């Protein structure tokens, strides 16, 4: 009896041990970050929850290993250790504050030039985040060529319910396209105010519901759509897509500087269509020039195009392929960057 008491594990012992484990990306310990929940101790068998800042956590295995090691080393009486992972995506509250929508984070996908794979990256990112367990929306703001409906495999305009558009849904992602607001095959010359209104409608007239992440696919270039989007919705960050050739570095820089002028944080640069044909290296070079992170590389792979054309993104159609895996990892890297941004105090936006 006496000896048993001496080795009785307490909640304080566990918190002290986990207080020495760093969240590898956020660079603070798990306890200070408020990630340790629901500690239970029975006969020195320990269980608790770790609440990640994203279900798409790139480093969950490492956090688990280090937590167990810390308890083994620092809590002598500990018998078994069981960790359950949960998640609560954090946002900075600006989107809810400004638009009164329960959307935690908005990430815009942009490039200085057309045809580099923005829509492809948007779709596969959104579906990957949903596959990891996040609640995800995808907004197609490409006024020149809205092709998200085709890539997601749902081209019928969604119904209106009580004055609001119900987003289409495919592959676990809610999505809405500027194309749904137009009669089919009708080419339109968008003038500034009309464009602004359409983008606004895609936020406030759509029943998005609660979202951890809303991915916005932008038209190519650095024009009115970016400006309107930034005026309407506080963006958590922008992702720049570029191709591997060195000539595309200049385009990436243009895409990035548009965000910088609008006070939007740059989450990083993705190199798409890497491989023998276009080479590789442009993405990393662009990231370096911009002073942003290089987020990863997606190979040129015919199954990416086939998936896009058939409405089954490669992460769904060929989930085990190296290219699909590269998209899955990319999504976790982006989610990790978003978590970091949300832990960092942000400068107030100057634009009204
Ligand atoms: N990694 C890849 N491998 C093979 N094909 C790809 C890859 N990424 C994109 N594609 C194909 O390249 C074409 C252009 O891609 P996508 O439409 O995503 O580019 P975009 O930047 O959105 O273009 P736009 O500027 O016209 O909106 C599509 O046919 C797409 O399927
Ligand atoms: Mg596109």
């Amino acid at each position: 009896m006496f000896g048993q008491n001496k080795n009785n594990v307490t909640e304080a012992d566990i918190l002290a041990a986990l207080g020495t484990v760093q969240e590898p990306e956020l660079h603070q310990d798990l306890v200070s970050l408020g990630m340790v929940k629901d500690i239970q101790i029975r006969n020195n068998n320990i269980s608790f929850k770790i609440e990640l800042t994203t279900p798409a956590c790139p480093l969950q295995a490492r956090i688990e290993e280090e937590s167990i090691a810390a308890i083994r080393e620092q809590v002598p009486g500990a018998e078994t250790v069981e960790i359950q992972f949960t998640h609560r995506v954090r946002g900075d509250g600006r989107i809810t504050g400004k638009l009164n929508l329960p959307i935690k984070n908005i990430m815009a996908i942009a490039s200085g030039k057309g045809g580099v794979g923005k829509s492809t990256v948007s779709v596969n990112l959104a579906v990957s985040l949903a596959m990891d367990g996040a609640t995800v929306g995808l907004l197609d703001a490409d006024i020149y060529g809205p092709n998200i409906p085709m890539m997601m495999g749902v081209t019928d305009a969604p119904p209106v319910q009580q004055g609001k558009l119900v987003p289409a849904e495919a592959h676990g992602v809610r999505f809405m396209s500027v194309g749904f607001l137009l009669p089919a095959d009708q080419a339109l010359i968008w003038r500034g105010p009309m464009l602004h209104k359409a983008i606004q409608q895609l936020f406030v007239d759509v029943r998005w519901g609660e979202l951890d992440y809303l991915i916005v696919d932008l038209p190519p270039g650095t024009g009115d759509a970016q400006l309107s989007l930034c005026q309407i919705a506080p963006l958590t960050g922008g992702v720049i897509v570029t191709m591997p050739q060195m000539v595309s570095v200049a385009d990436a820089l243009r895409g990035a500087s548009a965000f910088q002028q609008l006070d939007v944080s740059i989450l990083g640069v993705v190199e798409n269509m890497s491989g023998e044909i276009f080479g590789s290296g442009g993405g990393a070079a662009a990231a370096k020039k911009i002073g942003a992170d290089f987020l990863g590389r997606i190979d040129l792979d015919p199954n990416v195009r086939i998936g896009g054309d058939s409405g089954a993104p490669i992460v769904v159609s060929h989930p085990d392929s190296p290219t699909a895996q590269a998209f899955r990892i990319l999504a976790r890297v982006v989610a990790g960057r978003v978590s970091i941004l949300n832990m960092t105090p942000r400068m107030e936006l100057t634009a009204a």
Side-chain angles (χ1 to χ4, degrees):
M1 249 349 201
F2 192 63
Q4 232 177 15
N5 273 342
K6 206 172 101 191
N7 280 335
N8 259 1
V9 175
T10 65
E11 190 167 320
D13 297 334
I14 296 167
L15 286 173
L18 295 176
T20 66
V21 179
Q22 296 277 306
E23 209 288 354
E25 280 193 304
L26 303 178
H27 302 298
Q28 283 185 51
D29 72 88
L30 302 183
V31 177
S32 305
L33 287 167
M35 292 169 66
V36 179
K37 309 266 170 187
D38 204 9
I39 299 176
Q40 312 235 2
I41 307 159
R42 239 173 244 139
N43 300 326
N44 289 354
N45 295 308
I46 299 161
S47 74
F48 56 91
K49 291 180 180 155
I50 294 181
E51 188 185 70
L52 300 168
T53 54
T54 173
C57 179
L59 298 158
Q60 178 176 325
R62 181 163 153 198
I63 295 172
E64 181 165 18
E65 249 168 56
E66 293 185 1
S67 299
I68 291 172
I71 290 173
R72 289 263 165 266
E73 282 163 26
Q74 299 171 45
V75 185
E79 297 283 339
T80 60
V81 181
E82 194 190 310
I83 305 176
Q84 195 190 335
F85 282 92
T86 62
H87 68 268
R88 180 172 60 92
V89 174
R90 320 228 176 146
D92 62 18
R94 289 181 306 155
I95 302 158
T96 308
K98 186 160 181 185
L99 293 172
N100 196 23
L101 294 173
I103 299 174
K104 291 179 182 166
N105 296 290
I106 303 176
M107 294 98 97
I109 314 298
S111 69
K113 204 176 87 167
V116 299
K118 287 179 300 301
S119 303
T120 302
V121 168
S122 301
V123 163
N124 283 287
L125 265 188
V127 175
S128 294
L129 289 169
M131 286 170 112
D132 277 337
T135 311
V136 186
L138 173 61
L139 197 166
D140 179 6
D142 188 347
I143 39 169
Y144 306 115
N147 46 22
I148 295 288
M150 189 180 86
M151 289 183 169
M152 291 292 274
V154 177
T155 49
D156 291 335
V160 177
Q161 259 177 21
Q162 291 151 353
K164 293 233 176 190
L165 287 151
V166 181
E169 197 156 345
H171 312 298
V173 170
R174 296 172 209 161
F175 72 96
M176 190 60 209
S177 171
V178 69
F180 289 147
L181 304 179
L182 299 172
D185 303 325
Q186 180 172 327
L188 247 177
I189 300 164
W190 294 88
R191 301 186 198 289
M194 207 163 90
L195 167 66
H196 194 86
K197 191 155 176 287
I199 292 182
Q200 192 153 35
Q201 226 187 326
L202 289 170
F203 282 95
V204 296
D205 290 347
V206 175
R207 203 179 292 286
W208 285 110
E210 287 188 18
L211 295 177
D212 294 324
Y213 305 105
L214 178 65
I215 308 274
V216 182
D217 179 27
L218 284 167
T222 53
D224 285 352
Q226 272 86 341
L227 183 62
S228 285
L229 176 65
C230 293
Q231 286 169 343
I232 291 163
L235 303 187
T236 310
V239 172
I240 310 288
V241 181
T242 185
M243 284 187 51
Q245 313 91 309
M246 289 303 160
V247 291
S248 67
V249 171
D251 299 317
L253 292 180
R254 242 181 305 120
S257 85
F259 276 139
Q260 283 159 341
Q261 281 165 26
L262 293 163
D263 266 334
V264 175
S265 309
I266 295 176
L267 294 164
V269 178
V270 177
E271 177 175 296
N272 186 36
M273 305 198 217
S274 309
E276 277 174 34
I277 295 180
F278 296 118
S280 70
K288 199 167 165 209
K289 276 229 163 106
I290 294 164
D293 290 324
F294 179 55
L295 301 173
R297 176 177 296 129
I298 306 295
D299 283 346
L300 182 77
D301 178 341
N303 284 328
V304 171
R305 181 184 47 75
I306 294 166
D309 287 348
S310 66
I314 189 162
V315 292
V316 172
S317 69
H318 297 79
D320 299 324
S321 65
T323 309
Q325 290 303 314
F327 273 121
R328 298 292 302 271
I329 291 168
L330 176 68
R332 291 176 196 144
V333 170
V334 170
R337 290 290 172 278
V338 169
S339 295
I340 293 170
L341 268 184
N342 284 329
M343 299 300 296
T344 323
R346 188 188 300 264
M347 291 204 313
E348 281 301 309
L349 282 185
T350 42

